[in-house]
Amino acid sequence: MPGRLGRGRPFWWHGKFKGCGYKITAGRDAIIEVLSKADKHLSAEDIYLKVHSVYPGVGLTTVYRTLEILVNVGLVYKFDFGDGRARYELSQDEEGEDHHHHLICKKCNRVIDYSDFIEEEAELLNKTEKGLSKKYNFEITGHLIQFYGLCEKCANRK
Amino acid sequence: MPGRLGRGRPFWWHGKFKGCGYKITAGRDAIIEVLSKADKHLSAEDIYLKVHSVYPGVGLTTVYRTLEILVNVGLVYKFDFGDGRARYELSQDEEGEDHHHHLICKKCNRVIDYSDFIEEEAELLNKTEKGLSKKYNFEITGHLIQFYGLCEKCANRK
DNA sequence: ATATAAATGGAAATGGTTATCATTACTATT
DNA sequence: AATAGTAATGATAACCATTTCCATTTATAT
């Protein structure tokens, strides 16, 4: 009952996985495979359906459990776009870039990714994080920035 | 069956409410009263319990419905701190200030409000919003910034 | 090959939020 | 004041993403 899981590629995540005491299984491979290939903003069910179609032995529960681990380990980011289900993205793409910035349409829930203005953002965020860390004795490990509004279609339709 | 609802104060929200075609009711008054008095980060159930203790005629359903309206009208912000329940805050305090910035502890889910570094943030956000609006034809109406990490207690305990 | 603890999946439970619907209350108009 | 018309309400049930449970299977180190 194997599932042709993108053989031959460097399974870069195995190290981190084992390092944290987790086992490598076909299901987990398949889930990370889907995340690294597929479009962005996948929900747990999206991932389940994709994985399941190739490897029917994987259940929804395992998808949730694996995603939780991946988020804890830092390989995956979990987002809430306000439509009642969580979305998951690999934290780094193949080039090691780390762009997860979203414009969210409040009307149709469309999500647009952007990768502009990141440098200035990063600069400000760094400065802010340092200041906040010190003042509140808070060890900052991450942040979230999202913009809300109306996408082109919805703005015109109104 | 009245409920002593902070009489005599300027019910500034009535205007916006009526302007949008909504009616003023005792329950809605009570809900906004709770929001404007109480500590921050209240969940729908928190609000329900507080309102209900003073004015038992108000049900949980009405709390949810009223909050939805308040969010749509812009009087209230809805937040997700990752613990499975939404939190609500009046969008402006009594001085008309509009500070809704949070540090969220990933371990104990404690939320710290901060109001430092807001000026720089606002400046950057304005610049970024303008750029994004133009490039993506996206009408930006709001944004969200949150920092995640470990609060003092949890960082030490580890 | 074997032992051991971790991983799994299916079904059931959970829990915040929403939909339904018959009843009630607000508001403007007589 | 009485009425009509419409929005608001609350109790209950439905919803649905996510978790929990538990008996079985599997990965991994030895």
Side-chain angles (χ1 to χ4, degrees):
Chain A
M1 53 182 78
R4 299 303 93 146
L5 299 176
R7 206 80 58 62
R9 85 173 43 211
F11 290 97
W12 46 271
W13 58 79
H14 286 192
K16 189 146 200 173
F17 238 74
K18 286 188 180 168
C20 293
Y22 297 114
K23 294 179 178 175
I24 309 295
T25 69
R28 290 175 173 177
D29 266 341
I31 289 167
I32 304 188
E33 188 76 6
V34 164
L35 278 168
S36 62
K37 279 202 169 126
D39 333 79
K40 290 180 142 195
H41 319 317
L42 296 180
S43 69
E45 196 183 2
D46 292 336
I47 296 166
Y48 165 71
L49 290 174
K50 281 180 191 277
V51 169
H52 198 257
S53 72
V54 167
Y55 186 48
V58 175
L60 182 55
T61 307
T62 293
V63 172
Y64 275 107
R65 271 186 299 226
T66 302
L67 288 171
E68 188 187 5
I69 293 173
L70 290 168
V71 169
N72 286 339
V73 168
L75 289 174
V76 165
Y77 289 148
K78 180 179 181 179
F79 291 95
D80 167 47
F81 296 147
D83 65 345
R85 63 189 60 196
R87 308 293 174 140
Y88 300 86
E89 295 179 16
L90 226 47
S91 57
Q92 298 194 337
D93 62 19
E94 298 195 5
E95 287 87 38
E97 297 295 326
D98 194 354
H99 294 171
H100 299 276
H101 298 77
H102 309 289
L103 306 177
I104 303 165
C105 180
K106 291 170 91 167
K107 202 136 184 196
C108 70
N109 282 320
R110 193 156 74 98
V111 176
I112 300 173
D113 303 298
Y114 71 89
S115 52
D116 318 273
F117 313 100
I118 308 276
E119 320 75 35
E120 298 105 306
E121 268 185 28
E123 193 183 336
L124 171 96
L125 289 172
N126 260 324
K127 205 162 48 169
T128 307
E129 286 185 13
K130 277 203 187 98
L132 290 172
S133 279
K134 186 174 288 179
K135 171 152 185 183
Y136 295 97
N137 277 314
F138 195 95
E139 182 185 331
I140 295 180
T141 59
H143 60 256
L144 171 68
I145 300 188
Q146 287 179 167
F147 291 96
Y148 298 92
L150 293 172
C151 70
E152 195 172 2
K153 283 183 196 168
C154 290
N156 290 333
R157 192 180 307 151
K158 200 177 54 174
Chain B
M1 57 180 78
R4 300 302 94 146
L5 299 176
R7 204 82 56 63
R9 86 173 43 211
F11 291 98
W12 47 271
W13 59 79
H14 286 192
K16 188 146 201 174
F17 237 73
K18 286 187 181 167
C20 293
Y22 297 114
K23 293 178 179 173
I24 310 295
T25 69
R28 289 173 175 179
D29 265 340
I31 289 167
I32 305 187
E33 189 74 7
V34 165
L35 279 168
S36 62
K37 280 203 170 124
D39 332 79
K40 291 179 141 196
H41 321 316
L42 296 180
S43 69
E45 196 183 3
D46 292 337
I47 296 167
Y48 165 72
L49 290 174
K50 281 180 192 275
V51 169
H52 198 256
S53 71
V54 168
Y55 186 47
V58 175
L60 183 55
T61 308
T62 293
V63 172
Y64 274 108
R65 271 187 297 227
T66 302
L67 288 170
E68 189 187 6
I69 293 173
L70 290 168
V71 169
N72 286 338
V73 168
L75 289 174
V76 165
Y77 290 147
K78 180 179 182 180
F79 290 96
D80 166 48
F81 296 147
D83 64 346
R85 63 189 60 194
R87 307 293 174 139
Y88 300 86
E89 295 180 16
L90 227 45
S91 57
Q92 298 193 335
D93 62 21
E94 299 194 6
E95 289 86 37
E97 297 294 327
D98 193 355
H99 294 169
H100 299 277
H101 298 75
H102 310 289
L103 306 177
I104 303 164
C105 180
K106 293 170 90 168
K107 202 136 184 194
C108 69
N109 282 320
R110 193 155 75 97
V111 176
I112 300 173
D113 303 297
Y114 71 90
S115 53
D116 319 274
F117 313 100
I118 307 276
E119 320 75 37
E120 298 105 305
E121 268 185 27
E123 193 184 335
L124 171 96
L125 288 172
N126 260 323
K127 206 163 48 171
T128 306
E129 285 185 13
K130 278 205 187 95
L132 290 173
S133 279
K134 185 175 289 178
K135 171 153 185 182
Y136 295 98
N137 278 313
F138 194 94
E139 183 185 330
I140 295 180
T141 60
H143 61 256
L144 172 68
I145 301 188
Q146 288 179 167
F147 291 96
Y148 299 92
L150 294 173
C151 72
E152 195 172 2
K153 282 182 196 169
C154 290
N156 289 334
R157 192 180 306 149
K158 198 176 58 173

